[in-house]
Amino acid sequence: MQLITVHRAAGTVADRARGKAGPMSITSVNTDPEQLTLTVVADFNVPVQRLWDAYTDARQIERFWGPPEYPATFTRHDAEPGGVSNYVMVGPDGDRSAGYWEWQSVDAPRSFEVRDGFASEDGTPNTELPSMRMVFEFEETGGGSRLTTTTHFNSREELEQLQQMGMEQGMQLAMGQIDAVVADR
C-alpha cells in the first residue's frame, strides 16, 4: 500500500494579518491508492457553525470553491438531502469548467456528503469525466474547528486521472482561501 502524506504548517488569521502565517490552514493531505481516497484536513480559528455557514451559503462558498485564478459562481446551491448545486469556474483566459454536487446527506453542522462531478454549461452531468463521493466533516477543536474532507474515487484509474488534472493542488489552493472568507462576516 502506498500512502502519501503531506503536512503543512497552519497559520492563524491574526498571523496572516501580521504577515507571519504559514501557507494555509491545511494541516495534512493524504492520498490512499488502496482505499481510493484523498483526505484533506484543515484547522480554522472559528467556531464550527461559522465554517459550516461558509460551505452552505452560495455567496460564501463561491469565494473559495476553486483556485484563486478560477473563481466559481454558484447558480444553484441546495444544501439539503436531494438538493443540487451547480457552479462554473472561469479562468483568467475565459476558459470555463462547470461542476455539480448532488447532496446525499446533511447532518448540520457536523457533516454533509455530496456526489461531485463535472458538468456541461447547463449543469447536466458530464458522464465522460469521473464523478466522486465527497464527505465533509466539521468538528470543534480547542482552537476553533477542523474540517476533514474525504474524496472517494470509483477506481484507481479515476483517482490517477483526477490527480493528473490537478485536483489535489486545486483543492489545496481553494481551501487556502477559506480563512479570508470566515474572517469576513
Side-chain angles (χ1 to χ4, degrees):
M1 177 172 96
Q2 177 188 15
L3 179 65
I4 303 164
T5 303
V6 178
H7 293 279
R8 290 189 164 61
T12 67
V13 174
D15 287 342
R16 281 192 177 79
R18 291 189 302 267
K20 298 180 180 178
M24 59 187 72
S25 296
I26 294 175
T27 55
S28 69
V29 178
N30 299 312
T31 300
D32 187 335
E34 298 299 318
Q35 294 296 312
L36 303 175
T37 58
L38 167 65
T39 303
V40 179
V41 178
D43 292 306
F44 301 92
N45 292 326
V46 296
V48 164
Q49 187 65 52
R50 178 67 192 103
L51 188 57
W52 177 268
D53 292 345
Y55 269 87
T56 58
D57 178 90
R59 300 295 71 90
Q60 292 183 60
I61 193 172
E62 67 186 9
R63 293 176 54 201
F64 64 84
W65 192 254
E69 68 276 5
Y70 276 83
T73 300
F74 277 73
T75 57
R76 183 174 177 180
H77 194 53
D78 306 329
E80 60 188 39
V84 173
S85 295
N86 296 110
Y87 61 90
V88 176
M89 296 184 294
V90 180
D93 297 326
D95 52 315
R96 301 168 68 83
S97 178
Y100 70 92
W101 285 0
E102 293 173 346
W103 290 76
Q104 307 298 305
S105 65
V106 176
D107 181 15
R110 292 183 282 278
S111 67
F112 65 86
E113 180 179 328
V114 297
R115 168 71 47 195
D116 179 37
F118 296 89
S120 62
E121 282 286 326
D122 69 0
T124 58
N126 179 344
T127 57
E128 294 178 16
L129 291 169
S131 66
M132 64 232 70
R133 183 170 61 95
M134 295 184 77
V135 178
F136 297 78
E137 297 173 300
F138 302 78
E139 64 181 291
E140 294 285 344
T141 64
S145 56
R146 171 170 288 161
L147 171 61
T148 302
T149 304
T150 305
T151 304
H152 300 265
F153 299 91
N154 299 308
S155 68
R156 183 180 281 246
E157 294 75 26
E158 288 184 6
L159 181 146
E160 291 170 356
Q161 177 185 8
L162 289 164
Q163 283 182 319
Q164 290 171 357
M165 293 172 68
M167 178 185 176
E168 185 174 322
Q169 295 82 4
M171 281 183 69
Q172 290 180 43
L173 288 169
M175 291 183 78
Q177 302 173 97
I178 297 174
D179 276 332
V181 174
V182 297
D184 194 22
R185 284 224 174 229

